[in-house]
Amino acid sequence: PLRRQRQMCIRDSYFTTLKSKNVDWWDTISDQEKEAINIGMQQLENGEGIPHEEVKQKVDKLLGRK
């Protein structure tokens, strides 16, 4: 509980600082994260993506919601 509050406070402070400095979030992530995003974007451009509704249906089924 207290630890969670501290983590949330740190996170909120981090994002407030980013917003106040007008920093692009892309500049704050690691090269590995950027590469993963770029790979995902390329996959979408190649038609290799899965539609959002299909993913939702699969997740609902896995979680026993439908």
Side-chain angles (χ1 to χ4, degrees):
L2 185 57
R3 182 178 177 186
R4 175 105 170 109
Q5 282 180 314
R6 181 163 160 47
Q7 289 172 336
M8 291 174 65
C9 183
I10 291 169
R11 182 204 64 207
D12 291 345
S13 295
Y14 175 74
F15 285 112
T16 299
T17 301
L18 285 180
K19 288 178 186 175
S20 69
K21 291 183 177 184
N22 203 19
V23 174
D24 188 332
W25 65 271
W26 184 261
D27 297 329
T28 68
I29 63 175
S30 71
D31 289 340
Q32 288 176 318
E33 291 167 316
K34 290 175 184 176
E35 181 64 19
I37 292 168
N38 287 329
I39 289 170
M41 296 297 290
Q42 188 62 52
Q43 288 172 332
L44 288 174
E45 288 177 20
N46 294 339
E48 299 170 7
I50 301 172
H52 180 70
E53 284 302 317
E54 186 178 327
V55 173
K56 281 178 43 179
Q57 289 173 355
K58 289 181 179 184
V59 169
D60 285 342
K61 186 177 178 182
L62 284 170
L63 296 177
R65 294 184 195 159
K66 291 184 180 180

